[in-house]
Amino acid sequence: MIPESHFLILGAALFSIGVFGVFTRRNAIGILMSIELILNAANINLITFSKFSASPDGLGQIFALFVIAIAAASAVVGLCLVISIYRNSKTILVNKINLMKW
Amino acid sequence: MSGLIQLLNSHGIPQDFVIKAAFYFIAALTLLFALFVVLSRHIFRAAVYLAVVLTGIAAVYLFLDAEFLAVVQVLIYVGAIVVLFIFTVMLTADIDSGTFVGTLRRMSVAAVASLAIFFILFKVINMVTAWKTAVPAGASISLSQLGKSLMTGYALPFEVISLISLAALVGALVIGKAEKR
């Protein structure tokens, strides 16, 4: 079967790609998409450890369920903020948004 | 997954090879489309690529014997969150303005940083030599087991999650509400 480390490497690669996206994207929606990638990488790790741990009681899968719920909530609130910011300042490029700057 | 294995066995195909090939193909596809998500100049296309990545991750969950999680992934991520992303892209203007990815200097710095993170994680994963490759028999968690532990041992976090969902719902309504003129 597929060794455990290959799942972990897949998760690590996905995490790095998400970090790259957070660094480079100027669009707030793009940053939120990259954060979703990072959360999915965490989920892959959780489920991998749940499957390969010595006493699998499903804790990893339950934790991944909770992460999915939190990710959904954060995406909803984040996208709502993006729409609200766009309504006020007509841009969603994060380097153009300076409402909080003195 | 077990039905597929029975089908393969009846045709004399080595199931181990097929499962491995399918996993590496899906993993490569997922990573490729994840790169497209962060590199695409059009934010709408990035949203569609994100749907492909999330479906690929659902397939990876199948290889980890987490069928319920795979279904939840497709339902919530592909069905709800990607649609939400697409709606937000359409509600905010300049989809095609081409300025969504940063400058070359910022891209190279970010590439070095994220490659360093990946290299460190890769080294740490390979440092541990005691990764188990064999799965003990009957180790996969059934759906009824999962539901029982959600309702008994993890009932409190379950309720907290429902409270958070409610708070996100109300917060999204308050933030997104059109202002009176």
Side-chain angles (χ1 to χ4, degrees):
Chain A
M1 291 303 283
I2 304 144
E4 184 178 8
S5 56
H6 290 191
F7 287 105
L8 298 179
I9 289 168
L10 175 66
L14 216 56
F15 175 81
S16 313
I17 292 172
V19 168
F20 177 81
V22 171
F23 282 161
T24 51
R25 281 286 181 196
R26 290 166 64 211
N27 189 327
I29 301 175
I31 293 176
L32 281 173
M33 283 183 196
S34 308
I35 291 174
E36 296 299 324
L37 285 183
I38 292 175
L39 288 169
N40 272 286
N43 269 349
I44 287 180
N45 274 14
L46 283 173
I47 297 173
T48 304
F49 284 125
S50 166
K51 179 166 166 60
F52 288 93
S53 61
S55 61
D57 60 344
L59 178 59
Q61 289 196 23
I62 289 168
F63 216 96
L65 262 180
F66 289 157
V67 171
I68 288 177
I70 297 273
S74 78
V76 166
V77 175
L79 291 173
C80 214
L81 279 172
V82 168
I83 290 178
S84 178
I85 289 171
Y86 178 75
R87 199 184 284 145
N88 283 324
S89 57
K90 297 290 165 227
T91 182
I92 49 169
L93 301 182
V94 286
N95 54 348
K96 297 257 174 68
I97 298 167
N98 49 10
L99 280 173
M100 305 273 273
K101 234 179 219 170
W102 186 263
Chain B
M1 198 115 245
S2 59
L4 179 72
I5 289 169
Q6 275 171 8
L7 187 75
L8 292 175
N9 278 339
S10 64
H11 287 79
I13 303 167
Q15 46 156 312
D16 196 45
F17 170 75
V18 174
I19 288 175
K20 267 188 179 169
F23 171 74
Y24 291 118
F25 176 70
I26 287 171
L29 203 71
T30 304
L31 288 180
L32 185 72
F33 274 89
L35 275 177
F36 287 166
V37 168
V38 294
L39 290 176
S40 172
R41 287 199 161 272
H42 303 271
I43 200 71
F44 183 83
R45 287 183 200 169
V48 177
Y49 295 146
L50 185 69
V52 178
V53 173
L54 296 172
T55 315
I57 291 171
V60 171
Y61 290 169
L62 286 181
F63 288 99
L64 290 165
D65 289 336
E67 289 89 359
F68 179 63
L69 260 293
V71 172
V72 166
Q73 172 93 0
V74 172
L75 270 180
I76 293 184
Y77 270 112
V78 185
I81 292 185
V82 169
V83 172
L84 209 61
F85 272 117
I86 289 174
F87 263 101
T88 315
V89 169
M90 288 177 164
L91 284 175
T92 57
D94 46 309
I95 297 175
D96 283 339
S97 71
T99 53
F100 289 132
V101 180
T103 58
L104 193 68
R105 185 169 164 273
R106 188 200 263 207
M107 292 266 279
S108 49
V109 171
V112 169
S114 51
L115 275 177
I117 291 172
F118 176 69
F119 189 69
I120 292 168
L121 288 173
F122 186 78
K123 275 287 173 199
V124 171
I125 289 168
N126 280 341
M127 230 155 54
V128 182
T129 50
W131 295 124
K132 295 186 205 75
T133 51
V135 189
S140 70
I141 298 113
S142 69
L143 179 53
S144 59
Q145 235 176 313
L146 204 65
K148 265 177 201 154
S149 49
L150 264 182
M151 280 294 132
T152 54
Y154 303 103
L156 180 66
F158 190 70
E159 294 301 321
V160 172
I161 281 294
S162 61
L163 202 64
I164 287 175
S165 300
L166 183 67
L169 183 72
V170 175
L173 276 176
V174 170
I175 295 169
K177 194 177 63 178
E179 283 156 40
K180 287 180 191 134
R181 310 233 165 228

